[in-house]
């Protein structure tokens, strides 16, 4: 039975894609069949071949995925704004039934599917006659989450708030990864300790700037993935 994990973060540009690339690479290097999926991507680059979803391109190149990047994302928008606004400007709003179908197909093609979110945890995905928030997608797909947070000043607030929001929405949290971590920085060491103490969620790994691999045991990574329990 294939398993999934949802990657969220304390905000946009925190390192979801960077960490996901290393995570999928680590699983594949261990001989596991790991894949990637993202429901909605904004700010895609316009190329001669159409819109290029940069996140999927980065993960596919880092982890050596066989698919073309555009096969890994359901909705690709040109404008670099939240998907709900991008769809208001460009059309083609996110349809949950398409996300479910594409997710199911992605899951069928691998054993460990890593799904990347858009932005932080509070992210409107669709806001017209229908309203869809990011947490609705996570809950309906039945996924647990891994939170990527920046290790620097401000991370206690951002990261602990993110855990509280997920808990309030009844979404499981499997762990936290601190990105751009400087092990020699006393404040960052303390951030790790305080985030764990205040949230009750383990920091399962720290990723230094420029890291080209994850220093996390593969068995621990595998344990973060669960069989999704799809809900309505
Ligand atoms: N540990 C790191 N070392 C070096 N560069 C990093 C690291 N983490 C992130 N970056 C860089 O920071 C930028 C933002 O990271 P990334 O694209 O992974 O963020 P994101 O959370 O996926 O953003 P989005 O919300 O747009 O999906 C990218 O240019 C990425 O290459
Ligand atoms: Mg990203």
């Amino acid at each position: 039975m294939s398993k999934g994990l949802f990657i969220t973060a304390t905000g946009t540009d925190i390192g979801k894609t960077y960490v996901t690339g290393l995570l999928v690479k680590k699983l594949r290097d261990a001989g596991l069949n790991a894949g990637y999926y993202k429901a909605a991507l904004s700010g895609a680059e316009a190329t001669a071949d159409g819109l290029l979803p940069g996140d999927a391109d980065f993960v596919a190149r880092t982890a050596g995925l066989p698919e073309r990047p555009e096969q890994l994302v359901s909705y690709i928008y040109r404008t670099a704004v939240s998907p709900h606004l991008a769809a208001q400007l460009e059309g083609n709003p996110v349809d949950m039934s398409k996300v479910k179908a594409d997710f199911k197909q992605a899951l069928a093609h691998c054993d460990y599917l890593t799904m990347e979110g858009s932005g932080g945890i509070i992210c409107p995905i669709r806001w017209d006659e229908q309203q869809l928030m990011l947490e609705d997608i996570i809950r309906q797909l039945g996924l647990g989450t891994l939170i990527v947070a920046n290790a620097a000043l401000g991370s206690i607030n951002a990261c602990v708030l993110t855990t509280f929001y997920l808990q309030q929405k009844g979404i499981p949290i499997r762990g936290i990864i601190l990105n751009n971590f400087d092990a020699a920085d006393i404040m960052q060491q303390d951030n790790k300790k305080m985030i764990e103490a205040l949230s009750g969620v383990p920091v399962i790994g720290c990723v230094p700037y420029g890291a080209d691999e994850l220093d996390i045991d593969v068995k621990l990574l595998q344990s973060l993935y669960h069989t999704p329990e799809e809900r309505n």
Side-chain angles (χ1 to χ4, degrees):
M1 211 48 152
S2 303
K3 295 178 174 180
L5 177 68
F6 191 93
I7 309 294
T8 188
T10 52
T12 192
D13 272 345
I14 291 294
K16 294 185 299 294
T17 301
Y18 193 91
V19 169
T20 300
L22 298 183
L23 181 52
V24 178
K25 177 182 187 304
K26 182 106 187 181
L27 295 173
R28 290 176 70 85
D29 285 351
L32 300 165
N33 182 8
Y36 170 84
Y37 171 66
K38 178 154 174 149
L41 180 143
S42 312
E45 186 194 336
T47 71
D49 298 327
L51 290 177
L52 177 73
D55 289 7
D57 184 50
F58 179 88
V59 176
R61 279 188 290 111
T62 304
L65 298 179
E67 292 94 349
R68 282 181 289 114
E70 54 276 21
Q71 293 177 283
L72 304 170
V73 184
S74 293
Y75 291 88
I76 304 172
Y77 302 107
R78 174 87 185 86
T79 325
V81 294
S82 174
H84 82 287
L85 182 56
Q88 286 174 15
L89 298 170
E90 299 176 25
N92 196 26
V94 171
D95 177 4
M96 189 62 211
S97 56
K98 177 174 169 55
V99 171
K100 275 188 180 171
D102 288 356
F103 173 77
K104 217 175 235 175
Q105 200 179 20
L107 205 58
H109 282 102
C110 65
D111 298 322
Y112 293 88
L113 181 64
T114 309
M115 177 170 175
E116 180 183 345
S118 308
I121 190 54
I122 303 181
C123 182
I125 299 295
R126 177 174 184 165
W127 208 263
D128 46 35
E129 67 281 355
Q130 284 183 45
Q131 297 176 346
L132 186 69
M133 296 292 291
L134 184 66
E135 71 256 20
D136 299 324
I137 294 181
I138 306 172
R139 205 164 357 87
Q140 288 192 41
L141 295 179
L143 289 165
T145 54
L146 177 66
I147 301 168
V148 179
N150 200 294
L153 188 65
S155 67
I156 296 176
N157 175 62
C159 190
V160 178
L161 279 174
T162 300
T163 65
F164 287 174
Y165 188 82
L166 284 163
Q167 282 158 359
Q168 191 205 350
K169 298 293 174 185
I171 296 170
I173 308 167
R174 311 283 184 221
I176 294 165
I177 287 187
L178 290 183
N179 190 28
N180 289 311
F181 187 74
D182 177 1
D185 185 329
I186 290 174
M187 180 202 65
Q188 296 196 16
Q189 293 168 13
D190 183 71
N191 281 348
K192 176 176 181 288
K193 202 174 73 187
M194 291 311 296
I195 285 169
E196 289 187 323
L198 295 171
S199 70
V201 178
V203 173
I204 60 141
C206 298
V207 179
Y209 180 82
D212 56 9
E213 65 175 274
L214 277 191
D215 187 16
I216 306 174
D217 184 68
V218 176
K219 287 263 178 286
L220 173 59
L221 288 178
Q222 283 178 264
S223 73
L224 306 175
Y225 290 75
H226 290 248
T227 305
E229 291 165 33
E230 214 179 273
R231 284 176 264 184
N232 287 318

